[in-house]
Amino acid sequence: MRNIFERVKQWNTLTRIWHLYDAKWQDPFDSAKVIQKYLKGLHKPIYHPLADCGDHVVVINCKEIAMRGDEWRKRAYFHHTGYAGGGTYTLAWELHDKNPLMIMKKAVYRSMKGNLQRRYTMERLHLYAEENVPQDIIENISSVIPQLRDVPMRLDRMPEDQVKGYPKIWDLPKDYVVR
Amino acid sequence: MLRSITGMNNGLSFMKQMLLSANVRCFSVAAVNRVKEIIVTKDNKKTIIEGILKPSDRVNLLLDPPADTNHEACSICRLDVDIKHTDVLILSQFMRSDGGMLPRRVTGLCRTQQKRMSKLVTMALKAGLMPNLAPANSKRDPARRDKFKKNHRYFDESTIRPPFRMKYPEDRSLH
Ligand SMILES: [Zn+2]
């Protein structure tokens, strides 16, 4: 242990860090590719598949995820009960109504290779539909994963003077009747 | 607490692009452009309809085009920015208060940009980013929508077909 920085570097590498990810307006499938790297510990220099060096990731606002274009009604989730004729197809928006965590959970699960370690890696993922996270979990969080997309701002929620005072790129013609 | 850590985006990517771009643009006071307002007054047995010209409220906010601009180009081709469907402060300049798109004879855009802007406006309305520009009783506010329309949606501008040629700074030598 040579100096204070080396010491902190060692803590960061060898302890389980708790990361926070805000899924508001984020694509669940793009986010899953990022989240699974933290869960498996791929961002660490000591990574090895058998090293058990993965971190925890707390995902909040799972209810507010966004999908591209028509994907909410084009993506279907298949489930089979095992009995004859027991197969069902559930559209993404129907599944999201029933369980707002399920799409995110399945996205992270499917982003990883199916091996014996996958179920244990998933145990380190903590999903919450809204911002209300239990206090004993909040206390552990020490890192934030940056969002992949900017959260768009709604025109009716912007301050009035900002909308009025924003630079205009063209002017209305002389005889235009404003309405 | 959580919001203060993660809430860092404001979606004003156009403003960022404008501040970061090499061209220094400033506000100018152009010749006063006027806009017509129609006033209907009703007396007993008499209805007066008069059109009055009044100064447009955009005059003092108009952007100066870049110095080496092509004056034949329309107002969007003149700017070398890539407008996204989340830039609602730009898109709302091409819309009526009921959420309709202004026609090309009013906006003065070229055919390509008019079509592109109308597609971007459609994307922004579908994503529920401009719910205040709507007729009464409409479902442009996502809170009033049902089924798959109530969830958040985003769009990829590269899916707009046909692929529109954007004007970038290196293109200026051609003009
Ligand atoms: Zn043009």
Side-chain angles (χ1 to χ4, degrees):
Chain A
M1 201 176 294
R2 275 168 231 136
N3 56 37
I4 187 166
F5 298 111
E6 301 249 328
R7 194 178 68 204
V8 173
K9 210 155 81 181
Q10 178 151 348
W11 286 346
N12 275 327
T13 311
L14 297 177
T15 55
R16 288 204 199 279
I17 312 287
W18 287 62
H19 302 273
L20 179 72
Y21 184 74
D22 188 356
K24 195 172 199 172
W25 278 95
Q26 305 302 305
D27 190 298
F29 313 104
D30 295 347
S31 307
K33 283 181 196 162
V34 176
I35 290 171
Q36 60 102 359
K37 285 187 185 175
Y38 287 89
L39 288 176
K40 290 200 282 199
L42 277 165
H43 60 300
K44 297 187 178 184
I46 59 159
Y47 172 76
H48 185 269
L50 302 177
D52 190 23
C53 57
D55 288 345
H56 289 262
V57 178
V58 180
V59 183
I60 58 168
N61 285 326
C62 284
K63 205 173 184 173
E64 310 247 344
I65 52 172
M67 283 202 203
R68 190 183 126 176
D70 269 354
E71 211 173 333
W72 279 111
R73 57 172 172 155
K74 293 282 161 92
R75 182 175 284 270
Y77 287 85
F78 180 70
H79 178 256
H80 204 290
T81 60
Y83 291 97
T88 50
Y89 291 91
T90 313
L91 299 180
W93 66 269
E94 291 172 330
L95 184 67
H96 200 58
D97 282 357
K98 285 174 184 158
N99 186 351
L101 310 178
M102 195 60 100
I103 288 178
M104 200 64 185
K105 188 180 172 186
K106 279 176 177 290
V108 177
Y109 188 77
R110 290 192 59 186
S111 69
M112 291 186 282
K113 212 170 129 191
N115 52 22
L116 290 177
Q117 206 56 43
R118 178 158 69 163
R119 301 262 174 186
Y120 299 106
T121 310
M122 284 298 288
E123 290 293 305
R124 277 179 244 122
L125 178 68
H126 310 271
L127 300 172
Y128 294 94
E130 281 154 19
E131 287 183 356
N132 308 321
V133 184
Q135 190 60 32
D136 56 335
I137 291 204
I138 284 193
E139 282 166 359
N140 299 322
I141 293 169
S142 59
S143 165
V144 174
I145 304 175
Q147 288 180 311
L148 300 178
R149 302 176 53 78
D150 280 357
V151 176
M153 201 181 249
R154 274 166 60 160
L155 188 64
D156 59 332
R157 289 183 184 163
M158 289 181 189
E160 187 76 16
D161 53 335
Q162 194 188 343
V163 178
K164 284 265 168 63
Y166 192 77
K168 301 287 185 281
I169 58 177
W170 70 291
D171 202 358
L172 293 161
K174 192 180 171 187
D175 55 348
Y176 179 70
V177 182
V178 177
R179 62 181 175 120
Chain B
M1 184 206 96
L2 297 175
R3 183 165 279 163
S4 63
I5 296 173
T6 55
M8 56 196 168
N9 306 302
N10 56 7
L12 299 173
S13 62
F14 174 75
M15 198 64 182
K16 272 183 235 159
Q17 279 181 37
M18 209 181 69
L19 293 173
L20 293 174
S21 67
N23 300 311
V24 180
R25 293 176 192 133
C26 49
F27 303 112
S28 71
V29 181
V32 177
N33 203 352
R34 288 176 187 281
V35 171
K36 199 185 266 182
E37 186 176 319
I38 291 180
I39 299 173
V40 180
T41 327
K42 275 186 184 173
D43 278 346
N44 42 351
K45 293 183 183 174
K46 197 165 69 177
T47 303
I48 305 167
I49 301 174
E50 56 176 342
I52 55 163
L53 291 175
K54 50 178 220 171
S56 156
D57 55 356
R58 297 186 179 190
V59 169
N60 295 324
L61 296 167
L62 277 179
L63 269 182
D64 252 357
D68 52 346
T69 187
N70 177 11
H71 287 282
E72 290 170 16
C74 70
S75 54
I76 292 200
C77 290
R78 252 180 250 162
L79 301 168
D80 53 342
V81 289
D82 187 13
I83 299 177
K84 308 279 186 198
H85 77 283
T86 47
D87 296 323
V88 286
L89 287 169
I90 297 286
L91 296 178
S92 60
Q93 295 177 23
F94 296 99
M95 291 168 72
R96 269 187 267 117
S97 59
D98 65 351
M101 182 85 187
L102 288 168
R104 195 159 80 91
R105 65 188 149 80
V106 176
T107 59
L109 296 178
C110 63
R111 211 176 285 274
T112 311
Q113 294 296 351
Q114 175 78 14
K115 200 154 192 172
R116 186 180 170 82
M117 283 305 115
S118 64
K119 290 192 176 182
L120 290 174
V121 163
T122 312
M123 286 176 173
L125 291 176
K126 280 185 178 177
L129 301 179
M130 295 189 277
N132 53 339
L133 299 181
N137 243 340
S138 80
K139 291 190 177 175
R140 289 214 170 132
D141 190 353
R144 302 182 65 187
R145 296 176 183 173
D146 60 350
K147 295 187 176 177
F148 61 92
K149 289 180 183 169
K150 66 179 175 295
N151 297 320
H152 290 324
R153 271 188 288 176
Y154 71 91
F155 295 89
D156 185 2
E157 285 83 8
S158 69
T159 58
I160 296 179
R161 286 285 176 272
F164 296 103
R165 193 182 66 85
M166 295 300 298
K167 183 173 173 292
Y168 289 111
E170 59 265 24
D171 281 6
R172 275 203 201 120
S173 55
L174 302 173
H175 294 295

